Amino acid sequence: MHGPGRPPVHGRATNRHSSAPADRRRFREHEVPGTPEAAEESAEQPAADQHGGSPIDDLRSLVIEQVTGAAGFLRRRITGDYEVDEFGFDQDFADNVFLPALRPLFEKWFRVETRGVENIPMHGGALVVANHAGVIPIDALMTSVAVHDHHPEHRALRMLAADLAFEMPVIGNIARKAGHTLACHPDAERLLRSGEIAAVFPEGYKGIGKPFSERYKLQRFGRGGFVCAAMRAGVPIIPCSIVGSEEIYPKIGDITPLARLLDMPYFPVTPMFPHLGLLGLVPLPSKWYIEFGTPIVTDTYDAAEADDPMVLFEVTDHVRETIQQTLYRLLAERRNVFMG
């Protein structure tokens, strides 16, 4: 195993997606469907066998599959039969630990509906640019599940995150293993040039820390650094609009002195936090929509235009306006915050 900055470790190819064998109905050679012998044999079959398996059989198959997958993961951990790339991305960990831990939130709690995932290329690099909200950046995690689980190629979404994410103990190590890296030009360009799908949230802390009264109003997108990285790599920009994340922790206040004491960008006050303690950290079960828009091509620009402030501003504003208008449309279609 190698850490960040070292060549990848090459291991044996493994199949991470095992499945239980399907039930097979066998007839004796002398039996033909429709004959009395076949009818007698069919009558002797349990009803569940004739209808594709009972719930108990399905549960048993699921348990066997999960136990087999966990055993395989532990074996690869012990033998070192997995790869870590130069950024610290451990795909075996991401596929078998990180993403499965997020799926209950994605599928059951937020009931995320994903749209436009076909706009993400099947192969090659692309930069997903999304709005950011929710006090705690759960939206980034849900977007990574949406891309991996709903894209035909199950592509990994590599987040470009702020320094704070990697300075936190445990969290920083998990973020690296899940494939994420610093939101800086060198890392962004290397990811995009190597054919990865990267994601950036240009609003940063201004987005996730804004008050509930300003929900779904995009903050400033910075100076267009993400556009410059996409232009230099010649990859498309995919606008991404997320609805539902603003309601999970309605921010109604900010304890600034406490935030400074803890060296945090803000210390939020919501209707349930901090006066309900840890219970207040449970996000509200809002209904989510994640929509990936039409790609904005960048390979038509000259190399010199990647350093032109006016060009960067124009493209940045176009991406921002596209996301904002999509947010308005999704909000107009939504009938209820929690039911969708």
Side-chain angles (χ1 to χ4, degrees):
M1 175 176 176
H2 292 269
R6 299 182 182 178
V9 176
H10 298 285
R12 298 188 302 273
T14 55
N15 181 10
R16 300 188 181 95
H17 303 286
S18 61
S19 59
D23 292 337
R24 297 185 180 92
R25 183 178 298 171
R26 297 181 176 88
F27 293 94
R28 290 190 293 270
E29 292 183 0
H30 65 277
E31 292 176 351
V32 179
T35 63
E37 292 86 354
E40 182 181 353
E41 177 71 16
S42 178
E44 293 175 357
Q45 297 277 351
D49 195 38
Q50 297 182 32
H51 295 283
S54 67
I56 296 178
D57 291 334
D58 293 341
L59 179 60
R60 183 184 298 113
S61 298
L62 178 62
V63 171
I64 292 174
E65 181 179 350
Q66 291 180 342
V67 170
T68 302
F73 175 75
L74 291 175
R75 179 189 59 78
R76 292 190 295 273
R77 292 286 110 179
I78 295 172
T79 61
D81 186 19
Y82 59 95
E83 297 181 2
V84 178
D85 74 4
E86 59 180 318
F87 295 96
F89 178 37
D90 182 345
Q91 186 171 353
D92 190 44
F93 171 84
D95 290 348
N96 292 284
V97 178
F98 185 71
L99 291 174
L102 297 176
R103 284 194 184 104
L105 271 179
F106 184 92
E107 297 173 355
K108 305 299 183 183
W109 193 251
F110 298 132
R111 296 146 290 138
V112 182
E113 183 175 322
T114 305
R115 303 175 179 177
V117 74
E118 66 275 4
N119 289 317
I120 297 176
M122 299 292 286
H123 306 284
L127 181 64
V128 174
V129 182
N131 58 301
H132 212 18
V135 176
I136 297 176
I138 296 177
D139 50 4
L141 303 178
M142 296 299 101
T143 306
S144 66
V145 179
V147 172
H148 181 275
D149 287 6
H150 291 271
H151 193 276
E153 295 294 324
H154 303 291
R155 304 198 65 180
L157 189 65
R158 312 289 292 272
M159 301 292 175
L160 301 171
D163 297 3
L164 181 62
F166 302 100
E167 293 172 355
M168 300 173 65
V170 182
I171 299 296
N173 189 39
I174 292 176
R176 286 286 186 187
K177 286 181 176 293
H180 313 318
T181 189
L182 289 173
C184 61
H185 280 195
D187 282 8
E189 285 189 41
R190 283 161 60 201
L191 278 173
L192 295 173
R193 289 183 186 276
S194 63
E196 298 288 345
I197 303 293
V200 64
F201 298 80
E203 293 176 280
Y205 295 127
K206 301 188 300 295
I208 58 176
K210 66 176 177 285
F212 188 66
S213 60
E214 298 180 16
R215 59 193 178 279
Y216 299 113
K217 297 178 181 178
L218 293 185
Q219 305 299 298
R220 185 172 174 269
F221 266 23
R223 301 177 181 178
F226 68 91
V227 173
C228 178
M231 284 184 173
R232 290 183 181 278
V235 301
I237 296 173
I238 315 293
C240 177
S241 304
I242 305 170
V243 164
S245 58
E246 297 273 18
E247 290 86 11
I248 60 174
Y249 297 115
K251 183 170 176 276
I252 59 177
D254 187 2
I255 307 177
T256 303
L258 188 55
R260 291 174 179 171
L261 179 65
L262 299 175
D263 196 23
M264 297 171 60
Y266 53 84
F267 190 91
V269 176
T270 74
M272 293 181 289
F273 182 83
H275 60 277
L276 290 185
L278 293 179
L279 184 62
L281 295 177
V282 177
L284 296 178
S286 57
K287 167 69 176 179
W288 283 40
Y289 299 90
I290 299 179
E291 181 167 324
F292 300 94
T294 303
I296 299 171
V297 297
T298 65
D299 55 1
T300 58
Y301 292 93
D302 296 332
E305 291 181 293
D307 298 317
D308 188 332
M310 294 303 297
V311 174
L312 294 179
F313 174 79
E314 180 182 354
V315 179
T316 300
D317 189 60
H318 177 43
V319 175
R320 184 181 182 277
E321 188 63 22
T322 300
I323 296 173
Q324 184 68 81
Q325 292 304 317
T326 305
L327 288 175
Y328 288 150
R329 175 173 56 78
L330 291 174
L331 289 170
E333 294 174 359
R334 186 177 66 168
R335 294 171 297 176
N336 183 279
V337 170
F338 299 105
M339 302 304 295

